[in-house]
Amino acid sequence: MADADAPHEDVAAPSATPLARHGRLPAPSAVVELLRIAGVALVVLLVSATAVVGFAIWNVTSGLGPGVSLPNDTAGPVPAIDAIDGGVNLLLVGSDSGGGDPAYGERGENLNDVTMLMHIAQDHSSATVVSFPRDMLVEIPECPPSSDGTASGTDGGFTDKINTTLSYGGLACTVKAVQELTGVTIPFAAEIEFNGVIEMSNAVGGVPVCVSERIDDAYTGLVLEPGTHVLQGTQALQFLRTRHGLVSGSDLARIGNQQAFLASLVRTIKSDGTLNDPVKLYSIAKAAADNMVLSSSLQKLDTMVSIAVALKDIDLTSVSFVQYPVVEVDGNIEPLTEDATVLFDALKNDKPISLSGTLGQANQATPTETPTLPAPVETIDPDAIAAPDATDAASALPAIPPTPSPTATGPLVLPPSISGQSAAEETCTVGQTASG
């Protein structure tokens, strides 16, 4: 997630040990007195399941560190937001600090090189993840010092890149900046480090990605040949961090690459039953708790799990990954606020959206198979066939379905400046060689 231009970028990420998996208890082999034993076995099963879930809850919550207070924290439940019955606005920040791990070298500033806002509609019919380009200039708000002492705070009122907000005032400052930029209230937030990405990818068992042109990035150490790869651990982190290994070498290309990874992640967890499996959900929650800084509103395990469950019944076509629209002006990346307003007004009103078809800079649609051509038609002498009656010829034509009339309830097509894809779209990454 860190800038590949920095000197420390060429330090390869260390490998991480995959999360331990629970062993499966042997099934009882006795069948004698089945009816009597079945009643006892049922009681044992229920008690054991309760104990396992109870231990999982204790194991996760015991690993939680102090929460981060956000600008909209209240003494009670967050107003108008319910993780189970209502909508969700959650900001995910990827820090490049390395979490103090010496394997990543001297990191310098603590920057939020990945900033993503996830919005889940009130009726859980759709979800949208908005990525904010790290170099985009924004107004820096007034922020107090961070609760962990890593950021000294700022009076704000000046312009800087959005990825500096973490260094000015910690996670709460990034949340405040995004709220002022978008007009969206954000009650939930989480900050993840490099090792957290490794453990989260291990927790889901890997994520399949498609590569159409070879990625060879000396800065991150990632080399992937064309084809499909299931990434987890260090490779997953390298894939999400690579920038020079992508065809345009830009941060905007990296955003598209991350969107493709996340789309595949959603397809994976929805297809393998993760969202219906409490054990898998608690495993992911455990990985999150051990490797993330969480806002106070996410300190309850039930909240983390219920947000994941809110995604369970959303169709893949209704899960969108989009990039905040920007334009380059005099070498700076500036927000296209007018186009962005279209997007965020739709999110605030839970209006369905549709992308205009523009993918990320280093993404392309998955190649489709060559269509099968119809068999050659036998040539027939037209003089041997009597001309049909005009009435009969007209009745033999297939009926043409009427053109549907546009309705006001259809999805809102976003401006072309907003690139991205849905979770249903399978895209491939176009790589290049970066020698460093």
Side-chain angles (χ1 to χ4, degrees):
M1 296 178 190
D3 184 359
D5 288 330
H8 54 250
E9 183 73 10
D10 57 356
V11 177
S15 60
T17 303
L19 297 180
R21 301 185 184 276
H22 294 288
R24 183 173 297 177
L25 296 176
S29 59
V31 292
V32 180
E33 301 178 5
L34 179 60
L35 294 178
R36 179 177 65 83
I37 296 176
V40 178
L42 179 60
V43 173
V44 173
L45 177 62
L46 291 175
V47 173
S48 299
T50 303
V52 169
V53 173
F55 174 77
I57 293 175
W58 172 84
N59 195 23
V60 172
T61 55
S62 66
L64 293 175
V68 175
S69 297
L70 301 183
N72 297 290
D73 276 351
T74 63
V78 179
I81 292 289
D82 189 292
I84 298 175
D85 298 325
V88 174
N89 290 323
L90 186 154
L91 193 74
L92 176 63
V93 169
S95 168
D96 75 339
S97 73
D101 191 329
Y104 296 110
E106 188 66 31
R107 304 305 300 172
E109 290 182 297
N110 184 19
L111 304 174
N112 48 297
D113 273 355
V114 173
T115 305
M116 295 180 177
L117 173 63
M118 179 180 72
H119 169 79
I120 301 177
Q122 290 284 333
D123 61 358
H124 299 173
S125 62
S126 65
T128 304
V129 178
V130 183
S131 295
F132 298 84
R134 62 162 196 182
D135 296 328
M136 182 176 69
L137 297 178
V138 297
E139 184 79 8
I140 303 298
E142 180 181 0
C143 296
S146 61
S147 56
D148 61 2
T150 59
S152 59
T154 176
D155 293 334
F158 57 93
T159 299
D160 205 344
K161 296 179 180 180
I162 193 171
N163 74 334
T164 62
T165 54
L166 197 62
S167 64
Y168 285 125
L171 181 60
C173 190
T174 303
V175 168
K176 189 174 182 180
V178 174
Q179 284 186 154
E180 294 186 2
L181 176 69
T182 64
V184 173
T185 301
I186 305 170
F188 304 106
E191 177 187 339
I192 190 169
E193 297 281 355
F194 291 158
N195 286 338
V197 175
I198 289 174
E199 295 299 344
M200 293 293 286
S201 65
N202 287 337
V204 299
V207 178
V209 299
C210 169
V211 176
S212 61
E213 297 290 340
R214 188 173 190 261
I215 300 174
D216 189 345
D217 185 359
Y219 292 87
T220 61
L222 179 65
V223 177
L224 291 177
E225 300 294 340
T228 299
H229 305 266
V230 178
L231 304 184
Q232 65 183 99
T234 300
Q235 270 199 324
L237 174 62
Q238 292 170 325
F239 186 80
L240 291 169
R241 291 177 65 199
T242 188
R243 173 168 78 86
H244 292 289
L246 305 177
V247 70
S248 70
S250 71
D251 178 59
L252 301 184
R254 175 162 52 186
I255 285 177
N257 206 41
Q258 292 167 350
Q259 291 173 341
F261 182 93
L262 292 173
S264 180
L265 172 62
V266 171
R267 292 194 299 271
T268 299
I269 64 176
K270 285 179 72 70
S271 64
D272 69 2
T274 293
L275 297 179
N276 293 311
D277 187 334
V279 174
K280 288 185 178 181
L281 283 177
Y282 281 114
S283 294
I284 296 173
K286 173 72 168 108
D290 287 348
N291 295 282
M292 283 184 169
V293 175
L294 303 172
S295 63
S296 301
S297 53
L298 281 181
Q299 289 286 300
K300 291 183 179 179
L301 178 67
D302 289 346
T303 303
M304 285 195 290
V305 173
S306 60
I307 287 176
V309 172
L311 296 166
K312 181 169 65 72
D313 296 323
I314 301 179
D315 189 86
L316 291 174
T317 58
S318 298
V319 179
S320 302
F321 298 92
V322 303
Q323 178 203 296
Y324 189 102
V326 293
V327 63
E328 184 173 347
V329 179
D330 297 329
N332 295 316
I333 302 298
E334 297 189 0
L336 285 172
T337 54
E338 186 174 338
D339 288 358
T341 298
V342 175
L343 168 64
F344 292 106
D345 282 350
L347 297 187
K348 285 184 284 187
N349 294 304
D350 279 342
K351 184 174 179 61
I353 61 172
S354 175
L355 289 159
S356 60
T358 304
L359 295 174
Q361 289 184 8
N363 292 25
Q364 65 180 29
T366 302
T368 57
E369 295 182 2
T370 303
T372 303
L373 298 177
V377 178
E378 182 181 357
T379 303
I380 301 176
D381 184 1
D383 294 335
I385 302 177
D389 181 87
T391 303
D392 293 337
S395 62
L397 294 175
I400 300 176
T403 302
S405 301
T407 63
T409 58
L412 172 69
V413 179
L414 298 176
S417 60
I418 302 177
S419 61
Q421 66 179 91
S422 75
E425 293 179 86
E426 298 185 25
T427 58
C428 291
T429 296
V430 184
Q432 67 177 6
T433 298
S435 58

